[in-house]
């Protein structure tokens, strides 16, 4: 489940867990956009995402772009193996997580 | 730029990459390889493979592919880069180099021996791959198993241009129909390699209108694989109406891409950029084509884009074009790294020759100006000649190269020889930034190789002795270079056993080089090992078969107008110091006058000057009790006129041989530019070149080794001794007939 973490005016963290697929994108969209409303910098923790499909990837692109339009920041942090694999295949790692230096978080991909 | 040039660039580039590979591999010995080193190795192999593919050099492609496979295993931590593998990879680099050499020589790519080596090496490589990564070395489909493109990889293989281009636009409902574009891409990946992929998010609408369950994405994919169009269409059959599929076959031309752009929903220039990122076409090409079409005449039918491109000559065979792009990338990268330009050495020589002419012409102008006694003209002639000299200096500077690359080459030698000798030796390098003339660098390689080998072979003691002497187990050979008063000094030192004095002495006595019981200074003793026939093999170890001794080293260095000295402390180490002129184009000369003529004696050869000449009939000079053969320059060069009453003797020395040159006057030292003799004069003996004096006169540079050789063939030392004995008895003798 997704759970908004400690929220301040400045930055907040959302930890996403489980699958991030077509079945949940509507719900996730609301969570993420809502979290973006309340903070300048939104950090999304992805180490516990077990599955990502094209719809999920598209959602991440959408959130990032929305943030850009609103002059806010979204940081996608510690992608799990599953997430990273899709990013690499779609050549999105640089677009979505330019600050990402290390590879995927190993061993936490299933939950 | 034609294809030949492109091939040449490939050869250059491949050699550079191989050098980098070798350096990286050797660095693995010093410290465990970091990620960057391994990536660098992989990229080097990958780039060579790609460029070779471009020129259809299938053998190189096959082989580098195997190397790349293993390196990929290393990169992904599947294979351990141990000492054995480093050795194997070094041999592989050697093999690629010989393949590259074969290409340059234009010899048939399948030389028997070359192929044998190749198969042997591939077998060895396969062992490292192990069964788990078997497909890495599958004999067919060399590109099929390329790893997924690493996003940051800067070295995109040129062969990737030889790929299908697939343009995908998915329908809004593709997700709702339970289909995931990812699965099609994964399927595609099973058929070959996705060399580049760009995801297009442009169609994703703004916040409110965006439905996360609709698909707004498009993909541009470059794909390499041995498939036909039907097979590719088959992959995307399942999404059917939910996917707009456009496929361009490999080697498609620019206009095909432009046509594709026109069909797609996105903005043309943005698309052009994305296609360029896929690597199949450059953004400039597309931009140019689009602009040209837009700007075409409004009346009448618009010109077809293909025509425009042909007119502009921008359509070329795909391979050459790819080569151009590749080179540009390589150049930009290089420029950022070293900011240097590759120039043909011949062009530099030509420039320096012209500058030489310029100096001669200036000297003439200056003389003429002086005759007119016009101050203004004299002033401008003087500043002109100053400028010309500055130009000369910077032109000579152009030929200067750093000695570093020469030094680094020895890493490999030390690695190989220490293995061969079973000693643990490391090479330390310092002063690699010291610069010297390219021709000197080229010719110093052999003597240095010999010195380094000698240090390892004879200098460094076996492990047990080292330990017994309390030295570190790992021996060091140190190469150092620095500038010192107009010359470059190269030191080859080792922390080995030093020269065994007693044995050298013994040996010298045995060979009749010194009298038994004679006291020798350290310096004299050390110098003995440069004597011809003083075999290094008999000195310390039984390892022989070098074929050359230290005397050859010395001769080579002397030929470069350099000197070599040796300093050694027993049980502590040996240092060989080679001193070379910075350039062969300038000589530090000693000017002597004979009648009207001026001659230049290379300063290195001059030992001393004596203001005293033998009587005209004496061919030998009694120099402090020793017989010194004398050459009268006036006689051998047939200079007219009588010698002055006060003649001098310049004593020159090459190696251990000395001879006196009888001249009319000593005119002093000067630095001068050497001009090689023209064809007409090349048969002249005893003259090695000419130079222009400040007065505009020509001065001939004496070839001292040749002069000494003349003297040696004219008389044996035995004759000289007999002569001196008779001379001492004051027997008058007629002048020696020539």
């Amino acid at each position: 489940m997704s759970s908004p973490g400690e929220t301040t005016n400045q930055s907040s963290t959302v930890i996403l867990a489980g699958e991030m697929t077509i079945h949940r994108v509507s719900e996730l969209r609301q969570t993420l956009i809502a979290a973006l409303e309340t903070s300048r910098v939104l950090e999304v923790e992805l180490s516990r995402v077990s599955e990502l499909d094209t719809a999920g990837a598209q959602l991440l692109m959408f959130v990032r772009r929305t943030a850009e339009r609103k002059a806010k920041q979204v940081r996608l942090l510690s992608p799990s193996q599953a997430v990273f694999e899709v990013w690499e295949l779609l050549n999105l790692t640089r677009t979505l997580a330019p600050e990402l230096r290390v590879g995927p978080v190993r061993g936490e991909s299933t939950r | 730029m034609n294809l030949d040039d492109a091939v040449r660039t490939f050869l250059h580039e491949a050699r550079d990459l191989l050098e980098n590979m070798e350096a990286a591999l050797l660095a693995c010995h010093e410290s465990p390889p970091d990620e960057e080193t391994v990536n660098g190795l992989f990229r080097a192999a990958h780039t060579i493979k790609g460029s070779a593919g471009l020129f259809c050099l299938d053998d190189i492609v096959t082989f580098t592919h195997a190397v790349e496979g293993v390196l990929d295993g290393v990169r992904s931590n599947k294979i351990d880069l141990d000492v054995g593998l480093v050795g194997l990879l070094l041999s592989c680099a050697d093999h690629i180099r010989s393949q590259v050499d074969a290409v340059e020589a234009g010899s048939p790519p399948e030389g028997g021996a070359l192929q044998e080596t190749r198969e042997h090496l591939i077998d060895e490589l396969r062992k490292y791959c192990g069964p788990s990564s078997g497909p890495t070395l599958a004999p067919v489909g060399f590109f099929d198993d390329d790893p997924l493109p690493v996003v940051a990889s800067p070295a995109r293989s040129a062969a990737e241009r030889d790929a299908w281009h697939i343009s995908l636009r998915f329908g809004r409902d593709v997700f709702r129909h339970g289909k995931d574009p990812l699965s099609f891409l994964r399927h595609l990946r099973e058929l070959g390699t996705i060399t580049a992929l760009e995801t297009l998010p442009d169609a994703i609408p703004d916040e409110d209108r965006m439905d996360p369950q609709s698909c707004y994405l498009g993909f541009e994919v470059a794909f390499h694989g041995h498939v036909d169009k039907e097979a590719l269409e088959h992959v995307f059959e399942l999404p059917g109406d939910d996917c707009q599929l456009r496929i361009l076959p490999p080697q498609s031309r620019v206009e095909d891409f432009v046509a594709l752009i026109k069909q797609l929903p996105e903005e043309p220039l943005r698309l052009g950029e994305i296609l360029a990122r896929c690597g199949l076409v450059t953004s400039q090409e597309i931009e140019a084509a689009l602009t040209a079409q837009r700007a075409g005449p409004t009346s009448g039918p618009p010109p077809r884009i293909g025509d425009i491109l042909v007119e502009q000559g921008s359509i070329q065979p795909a391979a050459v074009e790819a080569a151009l792009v590749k080179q540009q990338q390589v150049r930009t990268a290089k420029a950022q790294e070293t900011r240097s330009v590759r120039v043909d050495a011949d062009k530099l020589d030509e420039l320096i020759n012209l500058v030489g002419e310029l100096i001669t012409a200036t000297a003439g102008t200056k003389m003429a100006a002086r005759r007119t006694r016009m101050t203004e003209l004299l002033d401008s002639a003087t500043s002109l000649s100053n400028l010309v000299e500055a130009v000369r200096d910077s032109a000579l500077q152009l030929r200067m190269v750093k000695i570093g690359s020469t030094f680094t080459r020895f890493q490999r030698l030390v690695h190989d020889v220490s293995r061969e000798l079973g000693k643990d030796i490391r090479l330390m390098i310092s002063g690699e930034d010291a610069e010297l003339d390219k021709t000197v660098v080229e010719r110093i390689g052999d003597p240095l190789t010999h010195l380094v080998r000698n240090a390892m072979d004879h200098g460094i003691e076996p492990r047990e002795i080292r330990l017994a002497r309390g030295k570190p187990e790992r021996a060091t050979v140190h190469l150092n270079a620095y500038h010192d008063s107009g010359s470059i000094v190269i030191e080859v030192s080792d922390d080995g056993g030093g020269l065994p004095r007693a044995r050298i002495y013994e040996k010298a006595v045995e060979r009749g080089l010194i009298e038994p019981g004679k006291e020798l200074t350290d310096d004299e003793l050390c110098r003995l090992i440069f004597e011809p026939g003083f075999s290094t093999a008999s000195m310390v170890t039984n390892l022989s078969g070098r074929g050359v001794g230290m005397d050859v080293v010395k001769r080579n260095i002397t030929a470069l107008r350099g000197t070599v000295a040796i300093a050694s402390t027993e049980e502590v180490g040996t240092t060989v110091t080679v001193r070379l002129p910075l350039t062969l184009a300038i000589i530090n000369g000693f000017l002597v006058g004979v009648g009207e003529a001026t001659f230049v004696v290379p300063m290195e050869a001059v030992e001393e000057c004596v203001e005293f000449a033998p009587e005209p009939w004496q061919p030998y000079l009694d120099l402090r009790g020793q017989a010194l053969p004398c050459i009268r320059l006036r006689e051998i060069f047939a200079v007219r006129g009588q010698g002055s009453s006060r003649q001098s003797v310049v004593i020159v020395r090459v190696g251990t041989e000395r001879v006196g040159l009888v001249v009319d006057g000593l005119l002093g030292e000067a630095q001068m530019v050497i001009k090689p003799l023209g064809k007409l004069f090349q048969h002249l003996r005893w003259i090695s070149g000419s130079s222009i004096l400040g007065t505009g006169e020509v001065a001939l540079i004496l070839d001292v080794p040749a002069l000494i050789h003349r003297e040696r063939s004219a008389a044996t030392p035995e004759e000289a001794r007999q002569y001196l004995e008779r001379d001492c008895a004051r027997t008058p003798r007629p002048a020696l007939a020539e």
Side-chain angles (χ1 to χ4, degrees):
Chain A
M1 277 305 293
S2 53
S3 52
E6 87 266 12
T7 307
T8 68
N9 280 340
Q10 282 307 303
S11 81
S12 61
T13 307
V14 171
I15 299 168
L16 296 182
E19 60 172 49
M20 201 175 168
T21 58
I22 179 75
H23 307 297
R24 286 183 59 208
V25 282
S26 297
E27 165 211 336
L28 289 172
R29 171 182 190 241
Q30 298 213 319
T31 312
L32 290 169
I33 295 299
L36 192 61
E37 292 293 344
T38 58
S39 50
R40 295 263 307 278
V41 179
L42 176 64
E43 296 191 331
V44 185
E45 225 272 346
L46 297 168
S47 68
R48 293 187 212 162
V49 174
S50 60
E51 200 190 333
L52 181 74
D53 66 0
T54 316
Q58 180 180 271
L59 181 67
L60 291 176
M61 292 160 85
F62 168 71
V63 171
R64 222 188 138 85
R65 212 168 67 173
T66 309
E68 259 165 42
R69 289 223 174 101
K70 300 188 169 181
K72 295 184 175 186
Q73 261 191 44
V74 171
R75 288 203 198 107
L76 304 178
L77 302 176
S78 43
S80 66
Q81 188 77 42
V83 171
F84 194 73
E85 191 261 327
V86 172
W87 285 4
E88 283 293 273
L89 177 58
L90 297 185
N91 196 5
L92 289 175
T93 315
R94 234 182 340 173
T95 333
L96 286 178
E99 56 279 327
L100 193 70
R101 291 266 161 73
V102 289
V105 174
R106 285 166 200 270
E108 285 201 67
S109 52
T110 48
R111 240 193 163 224
Chain B
M1 162 117 8
N2 57 31
L3 200 56
D4 273 1
D5 287 338
V7 171
R8 215 167 300 136
T9 311
F10 160 69
L11 294 171
H12 255 318
E13 187 190 302
R15 293 211 175 98
D16 281 355
L17 286 166
L18 285 169
E19 244 169 60
N20 294 349
M21 257 176 101
E22 204 173 280
L25 283 169
L26 291 164
C28 294
H29 274 303
E30 296 299 317
S31 56
D34 56 11
E35 205 178 318
E36 195 32 54
T37 313
V38 175
N39 277 338
L41 283 170
F42 177 82
R43 275 201 302 272
H46 190 77
T47 309
I48 294 175
K49 182 180 91 174
S51 316
L54 194 62
F55 299 108
C56 300
L57 304 167
D58 291 340
D59 297 320
I60 298 184
V61 174
T62 319
F63 187 72
T64 42
H65 178 70
V67 175
E68 189 190 340
V70 171
L71 285 171
D72 189 41
V74 173
R75 197 168 64 157
S76 52
N77 291 327
K78 278 187 217 133
I79 302 174
D80 205 18
L81 189 58
D82 57 13
V83 179
L85 184 54
V86 168
L88 176 60
L89 288 172
L90 281 171
S91 315
C92 290
D94 283 349
H95 180 66
I96 299 171
R97 188 171 292 137
S98 24
Q99 283 180 318
V100 169
D101 289 346
V103 170
E104 186 167 40
S107 60
E110 260 335 298
L114 219 54
Q115 188 175 8
E116 228 169 78
T117 323
R118 198 179 85 201
E119 278 161 12
H120 170 72
L121 286 171
I122 290 186
D123 279 348
E124 290 289 313
L125 286 170
R126 206 164 273 158
K127 281 182 202 156
Y128 275 93
C129 275
S132 57
S133 47
T136 316
L137 287 178
V140 284
F142 302 122
F143 296 95
D144 294 358
D145 46 61
D146 267 359
L148 262 187
V150 179
V151 181
S153 163
R156 176 170 289 166
S157 151
E160 282 160 13
R161 274 210 133 193
D162 192 9
W164 294 86
H165 186 87
I166 304 166
S167 179
L168 298 165
R169 294 294 179 276
F170 285 96
R172 294 280 181 267
D173 290 329
V174 66
F175 296 158
R176 290 191 197 91
H177 292 164
K179 299 162 191 165
D180 188 351
L182 268 177
S183 57
F184 308 127
L185 293 172
R186 286 191 177 120
H187 185 185
L188 184 65
R189 195 165 57 176
E190 275 162 31
L191 297 179
T193 315
I194 295 175
T195 51
L197 187 149
E198 290 290 338
T199 304
L200 286 133
D202 301 38
I204 302 178
D206 285 350
E207 205 186 338
D208 297 332
R209 283 177 292 128
M210 192 267 188
D211 178 356
Q213 295 191 337
S214 293
C215 179
Y216 302 98
L217 299 177
F219 300 95
E220 297 293 338
V221 185
F223 172 79
H224 199 297
H226 299 272
V227 290
D228 53 16
K229 194 168 177 178
E230 219 176 290
L232 289 177
E233 281 170 348
H234 184 74
V235 174
F236 298 97
E237 218 164 63
L238 191 63
D241 291 342
D242 283 331
C243 174
Q244 290 180 16
L245 173 68
R246 291 178 190 86
I247 298 177
L248 290 182
Q251 316 256 350
S252 286
R253 305 214 285 188
V254 182
E255 68 250 60
D256 296 322
F257 283 99
V258 173
L260 174 73
I261 288 171
K262 298 216 163 277
Q263 289 171 30
L264 292 172
E266 284 84 2
E267 208 263 307
L269 283 181
R270 154 116 177 104
L271 257 182
E273 219 178 278
I274 285 168
L275 293 185
R277 253 188 270 160
C278 288
L280 294 171
V281 69
T282 66
S283 51
Q284 289 92 332
E285 285 165 340
I286 293 174
E287 215 167 295
L290 285 170
T291 328
Q293 202 174 49
R294 221 175 287 139
T298 40
S299 59
R304 292 215 322 276
I305 202 129
D307 297 339
I308 296 171
L309 286 168
V310 170
E311 262 169 42
Q312 294 174 342
S314 65
I315 292 186
Q316 297 165 350
V320 176
E321 194 141 75
L324 285 170
V325 173
K326 182 95 192 64
Q327 280 164 9
Q328 220 151 29
Q329 285 169 355
V330 169
R331 285 224 189 99
T332 338
K334 282 244 174 79
Q336 279 158 0
E337 274 166 24
T338 56
R339 297 192 166 277
S340 63
V341 186
R342 229 186 252 287
V343 179
D344 202 334
D346 291 346
K347 284 190 189 162
L348 276 186
D349 288 346
E350 199 186 314
L351 174 69
I352 286 167
N353 266 345
L354 283 175
V355 172
E357 297 287 343
L358 199 56
I359 286 180
T360 317
T362 323
T365 311
K366 221 167 138 185
M367 286 294 290
R370 202 168 292 157
R371 253 176 263 131
T372 62
R373 291 167 195 261
M374 283 168 63
T375 334
E376 215 174 315
L377 186 58
L378 249 174
D379 278 357
S380 82
T382 310
S383 62
L384 180 65
S385 100
N386 287 344
L387 279 174
V388 167
E389 266 169 40
V391 169
R392 176 195 72 187
D393 288 347
S394 56
L396 288 172
Q397 196 63 42
L398 287 180
R399 287 166 54 107
M400 297 300 221
V401 291
K402 288 187 176 161
I403 200 166
S405 60
T406 311
F407 277 4
T408 349
R409 237 168 275 155
F410 286 104
Q411 289 284 12
R412 179 65 190 276
L413 180 86
V414 171
H415 171 265
D416 288 355
V417 173
S418 62
R419 189 71 39 97
E420 187 182 309
L421 295 168
K423 294 176 182 173
D424 187 8
I425 304 172
R426 89 194 159 107
L427 179 69
M428 229 171 89
I429 289 175
S430 54
E432 52 269 70
D433 281 342
E435 289 185 324
L436 72 168
D437 195 281
K438 192 173 174 338
T439 30
V440 183
V441 166
E442 277 162 8
R443 287 160 68 180
I444 193 64
D446 282 352
L448 273 188
T449 309
H450 190 75
L451 289 174
V452 171
R453 281 200 77 121
N454 247 350
M456 289 191 286
D457 196 351
H458 308 307
I460 306 288
E461 320 91 318
R463 190 172 155 271
E464 302 77 45
I465 301 183
R466 286 187 69 84
L467 290 177
R469 284 175 179 170
K471 292 185 185 179
E473 194 178 327
R474 183 163 222 207
T476 307
V477 171
H478 186 172
L479 279 173
N480 183 28
Y482 56 93
H483 282 191
D484 179 47
S485 60
S487 40
I488 185 163
V489 180
I490 302 172
E491 286 177 349
V492 182
S493 47
D494 62 69
D495 63 349
L499 293 175
R501 267 152 229 281
R503 294 193 64 166
I504 293 175
Y505 195 90
E506 230 170 78
K507 197 84 199 166
V509 172
E510 195 182 298
R511 296 198 64 93
L513 292 167
I514 49 171
E515 306 270 315
K518 190 177 175 193
E519 290 282 321
L520 285 181
T521 63
D522 280 2
D523 199 33
E524 284 169 323
L525 199 72
C526 289
R527 233 181 273 155
L528 281 172
I529 69 163
F530 291 112
E531 291 295 320
F534 207 97
S535 163
T536 46
S538 56
M539 274 171 54
V540 183
T541 72
N542 296 325
L543 252 160
S544 58
R546 270 319 83 69
V548 276
M550 291 294 267
D551 62 315
V552 178
V553 171
K554 175 142 195 186
R555 205 180 312 142
N556 284 342
I557 289 170
T558 313
L560 293 172
R561 306 203 323 260
T563 58
V564 54
I566 192 162
S568 169
T569 315
E570 239 172 297
E571 294 193 17
V572 176
T574 309
T575 301
V576 180
T577 310
V578 176
R579 186 177 276 270
L580 290 166
L582 286 179
T583 165
L584 296 181
I586 288 188
I587 190 170
N588 217 354
F590 188 72
L591 296 174
V592 296
V594 178
E596 295 283 294
T598 311
F599 292 94
V600 182
V601 187
M603 203 59 203
E604 304 86 32
V606 177
E607 195 167 68
E608 62 179 311
C609 300
V610 186
E611 287 228 12
F612 152 79
E615 294 300 313
W617 43 265
Q618 274 183 313
Y620 294 96
L621 175 71
D622 181 355
L623 181 71
R624 298 186 281 275
Q626 280 194 316
L628 182 75
C630 282
I631 298 170
R632 281 161 223 278
L633 292 186
R634 178 179 297 277
E635 276 172 26
I636 66 168
F637 292 114
V639 180
R640 269 184 227 132
Q642 280 295 310
S644 71
S645 50
R646 277 185 57 191
Q647 288 196 315
S648 303
V649 177
V650 178
I651 297 161
V652 291
R653 168 193 171 120
V654 172
T656 49
E657 287 171 86
R658 294 192 298 178
V659 71
L661 304 175
V662 182
V663 299
D664 287 353
L666 307 175
L667 307 176
E669 262 180 78
Q671 276 212 340
M672 37 198 83
V673 180
I674 300 178
K675 280 182 68 70
L677 291 172
K679 265 207 186 101
L680 205 57
F681 303 110
Q682 241 152 34
H683 66 281
L684 281 183
R685 285 181 298 165
W686 313 318
I687 298 289
S688 63
S690 63
S691 184
I692 311 292
L693 300 175
T695 56
E697 283 172 60
V698 174
L700 296 173
I701 300 166
L702 297 178
D703 183 353
V704 174
L707 277 171
I708 287 184
H709 182 76
R710 168 198 179 270
E711 190 50 40
R712 194 170 49 196
S713 52
T716 63
E718 190 50 37
E719 280 172 347
R721 199 169 306 138
Q722 285 171 5
Y723 183 85
L724 258 198
E725 276 158 19
R726 256 173 290 164
D727 186 43
C728 292
R730 303 260 172 247
T731 322
R733 274 182 71 91
L736 199 70
E738 254 309 327

